[in-house]
Amino acid sequence: MSSERLASLLDEYAELEKRLADPAIHADQGTARRVGRRYAELVPLHKAAGELEQARADLAAARELAAEDPSFAAEAESIAASLPALEERLAELLIPRDPHDAKDVIIEIKAGEGGEESALFAGDLLRMYTRYAERHGWLTEVIDAQDSDLGGVKDVSLAIKTKGVPEGGNGVWSRLKWEGGVHRVQRVPVTESQGRIHTSAAGVLVLPEAEDVDVTIDPNELRIDVFRSSGPGGQSVNTTDSAVRITHLPTGVVVSCQNEKSQLQNREQAMRILRARLLAVAQEQANAAASDARKAQVRTVDRSERIRTYNFPQNRITDHRIGYTAYNLDLALAGDLDGVLDALTEADRAARLSGDTELTRR
């Protein structure tokens, strides 16, 4: 246990507590939210450190009393027995956590090979994440979407955010960051006339939603094109050049948005996605440059790796990274994802405690 790191974090906690007590901070809601999130992250550490300090003080007092009165010996032994668990909890909280855990997310889902069946499956994933968010009281917003002919989605961007400050600093990212990758489905498509099982896939990209302070974008490095929207969306969407395509010239990242009726609204939504993508690029570069980087975080934004299979005939969901299998696919698609997400979170916790930077296994 690093006493220097503990002291530093407790000092930070005290400073944040002072800032939040100052009414002036709430004049800037963005700053107040960032400070509140960081404070919430440190609350469990402050509590664990206080409990351990109190237990050690109680043990010292009990042992001093036991020296004069043997009846206190049992109490001293009981307190001593509780210390290892408290020390382990504090040690776990001192392990550097994912810096994005408190953030909201933008989930991008793209249909892959498989035509309409892949688009229908992408729509299933969209509903699954939307329902999961509803179960947790989170807010959802479809930023942009391209629907398919049979009611699926070819491409969709979904923002999911918490209401207020997430408890313990555990925001949407802390739960859904594991979802990035290729999701494979095995089932009889609605377009299949002979009842044969087909395999198709959809790509999921999970991005922590960036704030202005996270990413600096030079307007001179952007190329902004406007064009006429296409596809479903109403008459007014298709009669003006309201769709926006933004290209970030230094990185080549391209974002398009056409859901909104006005060019200004589409531009604002596209900038949200661009900031999130640039933050992910910066994080991936930092991870690649650092020898002790958590490579599992790079993998969460790599669509080339199959992470999960949804087998309808067997009602089975399998996560290939940790060997997780459950036969409750119907419940998972209805938003009950906590089983697989808890397993992934526990695997990550075990890896961090052991000093292993690799969450996944192949």
Side-chain angles (χ1 to χ4, degrees), residues 10-55:
L10 291 178
D11 286 344
E12 182 183 0
Y13 172 90
E15 178 61 29
L16 293 173
E17 193 171 42
K18 288 181 182 178
R19 292 186 66 185
L20 288 173
D22 183 355
I25 194 174
H26 299 287
D28 184 341
Q29 288 302 310
T31 298
R33 184 171 171 81
R34 287 192 298 274
V35 172
R37 281 178 169 177
R38 180 55 178 162
Y39 177 78
E41 289 179 9
L42 295 177
V43 166
L45 176 74
H46 178 265
K47 181 180 178 181
E51 289 176 350
L52 179 58
E53 181 180 7
Q54 185 61 55

Side-chain angles (χ1 to χ4, degrees), residues 164-185:
V165 176
E167 184 177 351
N170 296 313
V172 183
W173 173 262
S174 71
R175 291 299 284 170
L176 294 183
K177 60 185 174 184
W178 319 113
E179 294 303 290
V182 172
H183 294 239
R184 184 178 68 172
V185 62

Side-chain angles (χ1 to χ4, degrees), residues 35 68 77 81 123 149 175 225-226 354:
V35 172
E68 301 176 2
E77 290 179 6
D149 294 336
R175 291 299 284 170
D225 303 305
V226 296
S354 67

Side-chain angles (χ1 to χ4, degrees), residues 151-215:
V153 290
K154 298 176 182 178
D155 192 343
V156 62
S157 296
L158 176 71
I160 305 179
K161 47 181 65 180
T162 58
K163 296 178 181 178
V165 176
E167 184 177 351
N170 296 313
V172 183
W173 173 262
S174 71
R175 291 299 284 170
L176 294 183
K177 60 185 174 184
W178 319 113
E179 294 303 290
V182 172
H183 294 239
R184 184 178 68 172
V185 62
Q186 296 171 328
R187 65 183 176 189
V188 178
V190 294
T191 55
E192 169 59 51
S193 60
Q194 299 182 23
R196 293 174 297 186
I197 295 174
H198 288 226
T199 297
S200 60
V204 176
L205 183 65
V206 185
L207 304 169
E209 180 151 14
E211 300 176 46
D212 291 338
V213 296
D214 296 323
V215 177

